[in-house]
Amino acid sequence: RMGETPPSVAPEQRLRVQAALLGWYSARRRNLPWRTTRDPYCIWVSEIMLQQTRVQSVIGYYERWIRRFPSVQTLAAAETDDVLRAWEGLGYYSRARNLQRAAQQIVAEHGGSLPQTIDQLLELPGIGPYSAGAIASIASEQDEPVVDGNVIRVLTRLFALAGNPRRGPLAGWLWQLARELLPAGNAGDF
């Protein structure tokens, strides 16, 4: 249904989607270590580790990482070789380097506190729109959407959208739809 006009969400459809997704999550969410905190640093680390990695594989790495680098400050001050050794086995070592570079930037420019706004999060190395939205919605309880491969699949099927979901108007429409579907005050769980 690709046309000139972006799709929109009818109020009753929004409520149905919200109820279905939040109900499923409430009944089936896994007990994961990063879900027991609202600490922005811990949530940020988990979001970066979870990129292109299975959840089950991340748990042990995450727990060891948080013990070794319990704060932005300890990560910023660490030797890069120690950071890379702690990351060993997760692959994509640029993610570990970006975590440390971002931690150093956070200490230098934000007093050691992870920024809360999307724009400030996007200025950090290794944080793109998805990660910024996830961190803001989970750690800061902001109503920010996320769009990844799973969200793309659901939204394109739900709204019968065709085309390249990573380019052109469809990419923007998917973010718009994701924002319209958010339940106010519950984006982190959604």
Side-chain angles (χ1 to χ4, degrees), residues 105-159:
Q105 187 174 333
I106 291 165
V107 167
E109 297 175 13
H110 301 282
S113 295
L114 199 72
Q116 293 186 1
T117 70
I118 294 290
D119 290 340
Q120 288 175 324
L121 287 167
L122 288 170
E123 291 175 3
L124 298 172
I127 296 184
Y130 176 91
S131 297
I135 294 164
S137 66
I138 297 167
S140 302
E141 298 181 11
Q142 296 177 38
D143 291 331
E144 293 295 339
V146 296
V147 175
D148 67 357
N150 293 320
V151 174
I152 289 170
R153 279 190 290 284
V154 169
L155 293 179
T156 56
R157 290 175 185 159
L158 190 60
F159 292 94

Side-chain angles (χ1 to χ4, degrees), residues 15-190:
L15 292 174
R16 280 195 314 272
V17 170
Q18 291 171 349
L21 187 57
L22 289 171
W24 178 90
Y25 180 71
S26 178
R28 292 179 177 82
R29 73 174 153 216
R30 291 183 273 180
N31 184 18
L32 300 169
W34 48 87
R35 288 189 179 154
T36 62
T37 183
R38 288 285 189 207
D39 180 337
Y41 170 72
C42 294
I43 291 165
W44 168 45
V45 168
S46 73
E47 286 299 324
I48 301 305
M49 285 186 171
L50 288 164
Q51 293 172 358
Q52 299 175 318
T53 309
R54 292 181 52 238
V55 170
Q56 197 59 39
S57 301
V58 169
I59 295 171
Y61 283 96
Y62 171 84
E63 291 171 336
R64 287 187 298 275
W65 183 277
I66 296 301
R67 281 194 302 273
R68 175 70 183 89
F69 310 110
S71 68
V72 170
Q73 292 80 0
T74 56
L75 177 57
E79 294 292 326
T80 301
D81 287 343
D82 290 342
V83 172
L84 294 176
R85 261 192 301 282
W87 194 267
E88 217 164 67
L90 276 175
Y92 302 98
Y93 288 88
S94 62
R95 293 184 291 164
R97 287 186 195 91
N98 282 335
L99 263 171
Q100 187 176 36
R101 286 180 35 229
Q104 292 164 343
Q105 187 174 333
I106 291 165
V107 167
E109 297 175 13
H110 301 282
S113 295
L114 199 72
Q116 293 186 1
T117 70
I118 294 290
D119 290 340
Q120 288 175 324
L121 287 167
L122 288 170
E123 291 175 3
L124 298 172
I127 296 184
Y130 176 91
S131 297
I135 294 164
S137 66
I138 297 167
S140 302
E141 298 181 11
Q142 296 177 38
D143 291 331
E144 293 295 339
V146 296
V147 175
D148 67 357
N150 293 320
V151 174
I152 289 170
R153 279 190 290 284
V154 169
L155 293 179
T156 56
R157 290 175 185 159
L158 190 60
F159 292 94
L161 301 171
N164 186 338
R166 304 224 183 252
R167 297 196 180 159
L170 183 54
W173 294 354
L174 291 168
W175 279 92
Q176 175 188 323
L177 286 169
R179 181 171 297 286
E180 285 183 44
L181 287 167
L182 285 178
N186 207 4
D189 284 351
F190 192 74

